[in-house]
């Protein structure tokens, strides 16, 4: 095991060969900022808001359509040492599985819109219909991304996830500079996933064709039942996490309109930088947490959690202070009108700093066979978030959304930390 006394920020980042993944995740953040910057300078906040709504819609309903099978792929294929037979079989079963859910989801959404269960404006209706039509291609893109990871093609997997998916949007920026209908840029974003799924599928076909089969072992086929069994627990937690980060967008869109969605989303995206770094730190110690918990090395486990928890909190503290001091200049980069989100930005910033005290709660629950506990915590948090959004947004606007979001996130993280202490007698909270 690692000598904890010699740990430092750099060693944690390099640990478990996570540097390449971290680099591309940070590149992904840069592309998010790049597209947001171009969007906010070329289009009105109303168009930016429609884009952010569409993006959130695809993330949530894409994960629902897949039942998080993109994450399940790594688990199922990894059990069979990433053999070609396993990859091909699981890939085809996943596609069949996703296609069935895709059809059911489209039927449900069609009836939802047809009977106007929740009255929506014509632009939102159109965006939802287009997004649902392309949802199957969005899912294929996500599945392909994880298959490349299973093939140890990390470079292409992360490039696909963090860079290539923005290419159709960037092309749209150049082609629509003088367009009389700026909403066409949303079409470039939505229909771009058709191109990305086809492109990645072609590359995947040749990658599998070139894969050496000489050393492959016999493969015992997974059944659809097995895939569903492994997918559902992960799906609930994944969909819940996406809902936690998207419910506020949906409710703001309904009550406040697309312009306020744009203001709020810019604030959220700036704070994303902190979340990406914290996630990298947590992932770098995930295997150590699992190993020491399984082997009941609780003294070592506590040291790992304390050290990584300190790094998470101090990084959050320094980043939060920087963003707080330069809040207005940073928001003005996207346009002076985005200063309207400064209060919501500070609320979100304070909430994320408080949340960082809970350290590695999410990863600990995942790595210690407490996935279903985490699912229950997340589902409860989603209900709290939704309830608070419905109460606070009509009264306080995007500031109400920020309060609702951080309340739900802080709630589940600290309740999870309390559960960990009660069951395992491990204090996961930050200690100086």
């Amino acid at each position: 095991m690692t000598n904890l006394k010699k740990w430092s920020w750099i060693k944690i980042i390099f640990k478990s060969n996570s540097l390449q993944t971290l680099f591309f995740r940070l590149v992904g953040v840069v592309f998010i900022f790049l597209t947001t910057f171009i969007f906010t300078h070329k289009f009105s906040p109303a168009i930016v808001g429609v884009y952010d709504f569409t993006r959130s819609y695809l993330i949530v309903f894409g994960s629902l359509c897949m039942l998080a099978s993109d994450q399940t792929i790594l688990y199922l294929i990894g059990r069979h040492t990433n053999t070609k037979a396993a990859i091909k079989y699981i890939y085809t079963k996943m596609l069949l599985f996703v296609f069935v859910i895709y059809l059911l989801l489209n039927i449900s959404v069609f009836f939802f819109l047809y009977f106007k269960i929740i009255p929506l404006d014509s632009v939102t209706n159109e965006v939802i219909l287009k997004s649902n039509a392309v949802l199957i291609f969005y899912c294929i893109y996500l599945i392909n991304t994880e298959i490349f990871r299973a093939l140890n093609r990390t470079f292409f997997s992360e490039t696909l996830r963090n860079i290539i998916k923005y290419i159709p949007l960037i092309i749209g920026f150049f082609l629509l500079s003088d367009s009389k209908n700026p909403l066409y840029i949303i079409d470039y974003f939505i229909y771009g996933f058709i191109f990305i799924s086809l492109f990645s599928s072609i590359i995947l076909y040749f990658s599998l064709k070139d894969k050496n089969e000489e050393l492959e072992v016999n493969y015992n086929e997974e059944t659809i039942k097995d895939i569903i069994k492994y997918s559902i627990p992960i799906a609930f937690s994944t969909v819940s996490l996406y809902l936690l980060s998207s419910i506020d967008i949906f409710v703001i869109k309904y009550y406040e309109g697309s312009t306020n969605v744009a203001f709020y989303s810019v604030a959220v995206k700036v704070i994303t930088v902190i979340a990406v770094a914290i996630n990298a730190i947590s992932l770098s110690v995930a295997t150590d947490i699992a190993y020491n918990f399984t082997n009941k090395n609780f003294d070592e486990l506590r040291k790992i959690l304390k050290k990584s928890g300190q790094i998470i909190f101090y990084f959050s503290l320094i980043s939060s202070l920087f963003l707080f001091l330069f809040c207005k200049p940073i928001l003005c980069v996207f346009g002076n009108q985005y200063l309207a989100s400064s209060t919501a930005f500070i609320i979100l910033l304070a909430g994320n700093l408080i949340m960082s005290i809970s350290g590695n709660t999410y990863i600990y629950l995942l790595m210690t066979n407490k996935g279903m506990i985490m699912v229950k915590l997340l589902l409860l948090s989603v209900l709290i978030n939704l309830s608070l959004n419905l109460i606070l947004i009509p009264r306080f606007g995007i500031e109400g959304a920020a309060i609702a979001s951080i309340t739900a996130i802080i709630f589940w993280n600290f309740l999870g930390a309390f559960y960990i202490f009660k069951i395992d007698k491990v204090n996961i909270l930050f200690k100086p």
Side-chain angles (χ1 to χ4, degrees):
M1 296 301 296
T2 307
N3 182 353
L4 292 167
K5 293 182 179 179
K6 296 181 180 179
W7 273 25
S8 66
W9 166 261
I10 295 176
K11 288 184 178 180
I12 286 183
I13 296 302
F14 273 92
K15 187 174 174 60
S16 302
N17 298 316
S18 61
L19 181 61
Q20 189 178 28
T21 300
L22 174 63
F23 171 76
F24 279 106
R25 295 291 165 89
L26 291 175
V27 169
V29 171
V30 170
F31 267 82
I32 289 174
F33 276 103
L34 176 63
T35 54
T36 303
F37 177 81
I38 298 173
F39 244 123
T40 55
H41 283 77
K42 290 179 70 71
F43 301 98
S44 69
I47 301 299
V48 178
V50 174
Y51 163 72
D52 282 312
F53 170 80
T54 307
R55 182 171 169 268
S56 296
Y57 186 90
L58 283 172
I59 289 172
V60 171
F61 284 85
S63 64
L64 186 63
C65 184
M66 295 179 66
L67 279 185
S69 56
D70 55 329
Q71 296 184 41
T72 310
I73 284 170
L74 295 179
Y75 175 77
L76 294 176
I77 293 176
R79 293 175 65 196
H80 303 282
T81 61
N82 295 9
T83 63
K84 184 175 180 178
I87 291 172
K88 292 174 69 175
Y89 181 82
I90 292 172
Y91 182 72
T92 54
K93 290 296 182 184
M94 286 290 188
L95 286 180
L96 175 62
F97 178 59
V98 167
F99 185 70
V100 171
I101 299 179
Y102 163 77
L103 292 177
L104 294 174
L105 189 62
N106 267 273
I107 293 170
S108 302
V109 171
F110 174 78
F111 279 103
F112 181 89
L113 296 177
Y114 182 79
F115 290 106
K116 298 180 179 179
I117 297 173
I118 297 178
L120 301 171
D121 59 81
S122 59
V123 172
T124 305
N125 270 330
E126 185 178 349
V127 164
I128 289 174
L129 287 172
K130 289 178 179 178
S131 297
N132 274 298
V134 177
L135 208 54
I136 187 65
F137 296 99
Y138 178 78
C139 291
I140 291 171
Y141 144 73
L142 290 177
I143 292 174
N144 288 350
T145 300
E146 296 307 323
I147 293 290
F148 280 116
R149 184 180 298 281
L151 288 167
N152 294 319
R153 304 287 178 89
T154 305
F155 175 83
F156 191 75
S157 173
E158 292 299 327
T159 303
L160 191 63
R161 184 196 306 277
N162 298 297
I163 299 175
I164 294 177
K165 75 174 182 180
Y166 293 108
I167 289 178
L169 192 61
I170 292 172
I171 292 172
F173 288 148
F174 290 103
L175 296 181
L176 295 176
S177 56
D178 299 319
S179 174
K180 295 181 180 180
N181 189 349
L183 274 173
Y184 284 148
I185 191 63
I186 310 301
D187 291 341
Y188 275 86
F189 175 67
I190 295 173
Y191 296 125
F193 286 106
I194 299 176
F195 157 76
I196 295 167
S197 65
L198 293 174
F199 170 74
S200 60
S201 295
I202 292 169
I203 302 297
L204 180 60
Y205 170 79
F206 287 106
S207 297
L208 286 173
K209 190 175 181 181
D210 294 338
K211 184 173 172 60
N212 190 351
E213 296 182 89
E214 293 179 4
L215 301 177
E216 299 210 347
V217 297
N218 292 329
Y219 171 56
N220 296 319
E221 294 181 348
E222 306 279 357
T223 65
I224 288 290
K225 183 178 179 181
D226 292 326
I227 294 173
I228 294 173
K229 173 185 172 183
Y230 296 123
S231 291
I232 286 179
I234 300 174
F236 275 115
S237 61
T238 303
V239 173
S240 297
L241 281 172
Y242 286 146
L243 281 172
L244 274 176
S245 62
S246 302
I247 283 178
D248 39 11
I249 298 292
F250 297 149
V251 182
I252 291 171
K253 178 74 170 68
Y254 183 76
Y255 283 110
E256 300 282 315
S258 297
T259 298
N260 278 347
V261 168
F263 294 156
Y264 183 76
S265 294
V266 164
V268 171
K269 287 172 186 174
V270 173
I271 296 173
T272 298
V273 177
I274 301 176
V276 169
I278 289 175
N279 186 52
I281 297 167
S282 296
L283 288 174
S284 70
V285 298
T287 53
D288 280 348
I289 291 172
Y291 175 85
N292 286 291
F293 179 83
T294 302
N295 292 279
K296 302 188 184 304
N297 300 328
F298 286 101
D299 288 340
E300 192 76 6
L301 180 62
R302 289 185 181 94
K303 291 177 183 177
I304 292 170
L305 293 170
K306 180 181 178 181
K307 191 68 178 181
S308 58
Q310 288 174 337
I311 294 171
I312 287 172
F313 175 75
Y314 288 129
F315 175 83
S316 297
L317 178 62
I318 294 169
S319 302
S320 297
L321 286 174
F322 175 82
L323 292 175
F324 174 75
L325 291 173
F326 297 97
C327 168
K328 291 185 178 180
I330 290 170
L331 291 175
C332 282
V333 167
F334 303 100
N336 290 335
Q337 65 267 45
Y338 287 90
L339 282 173
S341 66
S342 58
T343 303
F345 179 83
I346 292 170
I347 293 170
L348 290 169
L349 202 58
N352 273 271
L353 180 58
I354 295 170
M355 186 268 291
S356 70
I357 297 172
S358 64
N360 290 295
T361 302
Y362 176 75
I363 290 294
Y364 185 95
L365 291 171
L366 275 182
M367 294 295 107
T368 58
N369 300 316
K370 297 179 179 66
M372 288 311 298
I373 296 298
M374 186 176 67
V375 167
K376 293 175 183 178
L377 289 172
L378 286 171
L379 287 175
L380 182 57
S381 295
V382 168
L383 291 175
I384 292 172
N385 195 13
L386 177 60
S387 301
L388 289 176
N389 270 301
L390 292 172
I391 295 169
L392 297 176
I393 288 177
R395 294 186 62 185
F396 303 109
I398 61 176
E399 288 80 14
I403 293 170
S405 178
I406 66 165
T407 300
I409 292 171
I410 290 171
F411 167 80
W412 90 259
N413 273 277
F414 279 88
L415 191 58
F418 173 76
Y419 176 84
I420 292 166
F421 181 75
K422 183 179 178 181
I423 300 300
D424 295 338
K425 304 300 183 228
V426 172
N427 182 8
I428 204 164
L429 300 179
F430 162 74
K431 290 189 294 184

